[in-house]
């Protein structure tokens, strides 16, 4: 099979099931596995954070090989090791260095609530280690695929310091942009940490308004840039969504080196028929008793969390989200009171911005009989919320892809989303969900009310929409095929 010949090294700062902050982790783990299933030789490199070590121990995953590495950094040589493990068939190289990665958080210092102050040094070490790991394990990839700013130095190194080494020469690079608004911007004084020559600190390289910008470097130096939806690939070429990099992305698109591929879903993990976190499973056939289980799950969920006698005629609106500006909380705060006064139920699971956490807790206190707010990161609970909710809300200001609307459709929880990025590419207005255009509380309210109205008064139509959504197929198979086509073209170019 031709696929077998393509060797891919994926470099990322997160991957399920080892380390997850957001959707990046789902994509790295699931896409890697799907490409492996399609016959590719794919290896994934991630940092060996404390949570990764804990996962390996708890699940008794063996370290198959371990090699020491020495990475020259500005601060001196940093020593570490690369541990090889196999997870579900896929080879992972874990970059171990206690100084950089043995910490409570992945990116954020739990004490200051800010990014770790040595972020640039950590990810410089990681990017160099990932490239070294390939050599140590004698795995010469055809393509290296990096993800977001944390690994954006990989394509830069391949085109600069590493290209003199025959092992790395002619390796192609792809940068996957999951979110352009996090760019890895650092003060110019830190540029020397990267070990790059100053000649790359220019407007055509890594310089950005006098600062170092890693994402910009990644876009400029990679052979191809992929974003996680087609609409987002177009949006990031505009001033509204380009976060100051629209000139660079437009240029990349003009050279046919920018494209969008909508993410997929791992239906082994996100499927109400086999979901390991659900006691009661259910499926599409709502005539049969199994779909009744969805109602039971909702009732039980509300009761277990203190809503003793829920009115089952009222919908439960669910959200699972990082609590950040991107996700549309300013709109939600303007309209939620009115909706709760109308008797709906609301549940949210999330963690992030302190101000949002506080305001959400206040909603819970004001409406203890209707609002269930969970501040924290909890994977089993995220599955319960998908299953229990009738409506799933994603009013994002921008959304590169978004995964929860895809999960929601499978769980029969009708998504209400804004017309942007991957939400626009995956939800069909009036068929599988509801879409609003303007980023305004008025439009959100009108649209949510439409959904609530349909739920309360047109049972058959509601079930039709649920059914259509549950029938959608957003498996990784489709997306992985598109990646494979891209790899073939790139390899032959
Ligand atoms: P983003 O990557 O921007 O956060 P996505 O929709 O692509 O958005 O992916 C978010 C992923 O993270 C989903 O799998 C979602 O279920 C999960 N998630 C987000 N917040 C939490 C949380 N507090 N607890 C558990 N899972 C969460
Ligand atoms: C990012 C985006 C999200 C996307 C995810 C996975 O975190 O915010 O929209 O689904 O990456 O690609």
């Amino acid at each position: 099979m031709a696929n077998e010949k393509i060797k891919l090294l994926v470099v990322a700062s997160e991957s399920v099931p080892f380390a997850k902050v957001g959707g990046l982790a789902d994509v790295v783990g699931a896409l890697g596995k799907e490409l492996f299933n399609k016959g590719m030789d794919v290896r994934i490199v991630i940092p060996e954070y404390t949570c990764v070590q804990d996962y390996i121990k708890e699940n008794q995953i063996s370290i198959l090989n371990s090699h020491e590495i020495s990475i020259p950094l500005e601060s001196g040589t940093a020593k570490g090791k690369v541990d090889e493990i196999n997870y579900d068939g896929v080879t992972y190289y874990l970059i171990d260095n206690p100084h950089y990665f043995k910490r409570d958080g992945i990116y954020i210092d739990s004490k200051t609530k800010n990014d770790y102050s040595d972020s640039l040094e950590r990810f410089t070490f990681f990017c160099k280690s990932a490239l070294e790991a390939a050599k140590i394990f004698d795995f010469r990839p055809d393509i290296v695929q990096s993800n977001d700013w944390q690994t954006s130095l990989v394509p830069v190194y391949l085109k600069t310091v590493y290209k003199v080494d025959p092992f790395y020469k002619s390796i192609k690079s792809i940068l996957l942009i999951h979110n352009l608004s996090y760019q890895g911007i650092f003060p110019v004084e830190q540029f020397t940490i990267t070990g790059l020559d100053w000649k790359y600190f220019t407007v055509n390289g890594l310089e950005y308004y006098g600062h170092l910008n890693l994402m910009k470097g990644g876009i400029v130096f990679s052979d191809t840039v992929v974003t996680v939806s087609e609409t987002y690939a177009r949006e990031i070429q505009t001033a509204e969504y380009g976060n100051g990099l629209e000139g660079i992305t437009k240029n990349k698109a003009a050279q046919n080196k920018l494209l969008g591929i909508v993410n997929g879903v791992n239906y082994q993990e996100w499927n109400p028929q086999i979901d390991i976190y659900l006691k009661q499973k259910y499926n599409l056939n709502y005539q049969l008793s199994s779909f009744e289980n969805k109602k039971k799950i909702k009732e039980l969920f509300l009761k277990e969390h203190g809503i003793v006698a829920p009115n089952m005629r009222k919908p439960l609106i669910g959200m699972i989200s990082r609590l950040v500006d991107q996700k549309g909380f300013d709109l939600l705060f303007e309209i939620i009171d009115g909706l709760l006064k109308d008797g709906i139920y609301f549940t949210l699971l999330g963690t992030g911005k302190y101000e949002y956490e506080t305001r959400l807790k206040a909603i819970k206190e004001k409406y203890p009989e209707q609002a269930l707010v969970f501040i924290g990161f909890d994977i089993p609970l995220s599955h319960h919320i998908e299953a229990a909710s009738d409506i799933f809300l994603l009013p994002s200001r921008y959304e590169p892809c978004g995964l929860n609307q895809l999960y929601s459709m499978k769980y029969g929880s009708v998504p209400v989303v804004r017309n942007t990025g991957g939400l626009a590419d995956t939800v069909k207005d009036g068929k599988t969900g509801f879409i609003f255009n303007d980023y305004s509380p008025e439009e959100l309210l009108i649209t949510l009310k439409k959904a609530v109205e349909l739920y309360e008064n047109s049972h058959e139509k509601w079930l039709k929409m649920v059914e259509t959504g549950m029938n959608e197929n957003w498996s990784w198979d489709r997306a992985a095929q598109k990646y494979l086509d891209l790899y073939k073209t790139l390899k032959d170019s």
Side-chain angles (χ1 to χ4, degrees), residues 15 54 66-67 127 157 191 194 198 216 293 377 400 412-413 466:
S15 177
D54 291 348
S66 188
H67 287 288
C127 291
Y157 288 143
F191 182 73
T194 64
W198 277 103
K216 179 179 173 192
N293 279 347
F377 194 89
S413 174
V466 165

Side-chain angles (χ1 to χ4, degrees), residues 20 22-23 26 320-322 327 349-350 376-378 402-404 407:
K20 170 165 165 171
D26 298 66
I320 301 162
S321 183
R322 290 183 295 118
K327 303 290 180 178
L349 166 64
F377 194 89
D378 186 334
L403 296 171
N404 283 109
Y407 303 156

Side-chain angles (χ1 to χ4, degrees), residues 87-200:
Y87 179 75
D88 219 7
V90 181
T91 296
Y92 278 78
Y93 298 129
L94 311 174
I95 306 297
D96 182 27
N97 174 300
H99 172 65
Y100 293 124
F101 302 127
K102 210 171 167 54
R103 301 180 184 186
D104 290 346
I106 291 183
Y107 308 124
I108 308 270
D109 188 332
S110 54
K111 284 190 204 89
T112 63
K113 279 250 178 195
N114 291 322
D115 278 7
Y116 288 118
S117 58
D118 59 351
S119 288
L120 177 61
E121 194 176 312
R122 295 174 86 211
F123 287 107
T124 297
F125 170 77
F126 176 61
C127 291
K128 288 187 173 175
S129 300
L131 289 171
E132 293 294 337
K135 197 172 189 182
I136 290 172
F137 282 90
D138 197 23
F139 177 71
R140 192 192 166 282
D142 299 297
I143 295 159
V144 177
Q145 183 160 293
S146 49
N147 295 270
D148 280 350
W149 73 263
Q150 292 87 350
T151 51
S152 277
L153 278 172
V154 169
V156 180
Y157 288 143
L158 280 173
K159 286 272 166 47
T160 57
V161 266
Y162 278 79
K163 79 167 179 211
V164 289
D165 182 331
F167 182 85
Y168 299 99
K169 202 171 166 244
S170 76
I171 292 178
K172 299 285 176 21
S173 56
I174 295 176
L175 174 68
L176 231 80
I177 299 182
H178 300 263
N179 199 329
L180 190 63
S181 60
Y182 302 92
Q183 297 180 357
I185 297 177
F186 298 94
V188 58
E189 297 76 45
Q190 293 193 23
F191 182 73
T192 47
I193 292 175
T194 64
L196 290 163
D197 194 295
W198 277 103
K199 71 180 178 198
Y200 300 114

Side-chain angles (χ1 to χ4, degrees), residues 23-24 27 178-179 228 263 322 326 399-403:
L24 164 67
V27 173
H178 300 263
N179 199 329
V228 288
N263 289 329
R322 290 183 295 118
Q326 165 191 351
E399 196 61 72
C401 179
L403 296 171

Side-chain angles (χ1 to χ4, degrees), residues 8-10 15-18 27-46 61-62 64 83-94 139:
L8 176 75
L9 186 74
V10 176
S15 177
V16 288
F18 306 104
V27 173
V28 171
L31 174 60
K33 171 75 180 152
E34 188 69 29
L35 292 168
F36 169 79
N37 287 345
K38 289 195 177 317
M40 266 187 80
D41 190 353
V42 47
R43 321 250 171 128
I44 301 176
V45 198
I46 56 169
I61 296 173
S62 341
L64 304 175
D83 292 328
E84 179 189 353
I85 60 163
N86 188 286
Y87 179 75
D88 219 7
V90 181
T91 296
Y92 278 78
Y93 298 129
L94 311 174
F139 177 71

